[in-house]
Amino acid sequence: MKKLFLLLILLVSTIGFAQKGKTKAKPAAAKNVVLTKVDNISAEVISEKSGKRVVLFVKNEDKVDTLEVKKLEKTDFKPTGFVVKSFSTQGKKFYHVNWKEEIKIDTKLKKENGVVTEDQLWDTETKTLLLGNTQKSSHIKETVFLDANKTASHDVEKNRSEGFEFTLNADGSFVLKTKTQNSTYVYNAASSKYEMKGAPKTSGTNKKK
């Protein structure tokens, strides 16, 4: 009987020790999402405690530089056509980063479908952002009430464009354009910046007689 009692005590002690020895498994670290690669550059979405970011990892011989492209407010970042391309101007090699994000709003009073286009020009050697441009274009259909009591309404449709349309030219210059303004920028090696070439061109609207 004593032997059986001692055996039970030993068994309970062993189970208790095994339970104390267990440790909670740490959650697996989120993996980086690779968007594209070119030359020695990898564009990736990284996850940190403070949130997610889109960055460029630039691999050099002895180090890797991290260039921040965008802090992500939305966790479900799903760009269309994320592209990084090199180009040359004034004897310098730069990189053009371009992507698009779709806009979709669907409520009882408003429907919007559009696209946000992002363009960035980087000098990865000096880790300098030479240009950051955002353009938004969308088609909107919304219900507008005609009185304070909201007893009468009608639908309004419109196209909206915000920001400048960006075009990178073959010689490394670029154009920023709206419906009324057109400006060309060229790289100045002395100042290491893009500068406007001449005065911006404006186009007036024809008045109806």
Side-chain angles (χ1 to χ4, degrees), residues 94-111:
F94 299 141
Y95 287 88
H96 175 207
V97 181
N98 168 266
W99 74 93
K100 299 179 187 295
E101 294 179 66
E102 293 184 356
I103 306 168
K104 190 171 184 179
I105 300 173
D106 193 350
T107 66
K108 291 182 179 179
L109 300 178
K110 183 178 180 180
K111 296 182 186 297

Side-chain angles (χ1 to χ4, degrees), residues 151-167:
T151 57
S153 65
H154 72 287
D155 290 337
V156 176
E157 290 193 52
K158 57 187 175 181
N159 293 317
R160 178 180 293 171
S161 181
E162 300 175 13
F164 291 91
E165 180 183 343
F166 172 85
T167 303

Side-chain angles (χ1 to χ4, degrees), residues 178-205:
T178 64
K179 290 182 179 180
T180 59
Q181 185 175 317
N182 190 327
S183 302
T184 300
Y185 290 79
V186 296
Y187 183 72
N188 186 336
S191 63
S192 300
K193 295 179 180 179
Y194 272 92
E195 298 175 357
M196 187 184 296
K197 181 181 179 181
K201 298 178 182 178
T202 57
S203 57
T205 55

Side-chain angles (χ1 to χ4, degrees), residues 76-140:
D76 57 340
F77 178 63
K78 296 179 180 179
T80 57
F82 196 103
V83 177
V84 179
K85 288 185 177 181
S86 65
F87 67 97
S88 299
T89 184
Q90 302 295 322
K92 298 280 290 183
K93 184 178 181 179
F94 299 141
Y95 287 88
H96 175 207
V97 181
N98 168 266
W99 74 93
K100 299 179 187 295
E101 294 179 66
E102 293 184 356
I103 306 168
K104 190 171 184 179
I105 300 173
D106 193 350
T107 66
K108 291 182 179 179
L109 300 178
K110 183 178 180 180
K111 296 182 186 297
E112 180 178 358
N113 291 284
V115 175
V116 174
T117 304
E118 299 266 7
D119 289 282
Q120 295 184 3
L121 301 183
W122 281 92
D123 181 349
T124 57
E125 185 178 346
T126 61
K127 297 177 283 188
T128 303
L129 177 64
L130 300 170
L131 171 76
N133 184 71
T134 303
Q135 187 206 16
K136 176 182 175 181
S137 59
S138 58
H139 177 76
I140 302 170

Side-chain angles (χ1 to χ4, degrees), residues 24-32 47:
K24 293 182 179 180
K26 293 182 179 180
K31 293 183 179 180
N32 294 354
S47 298

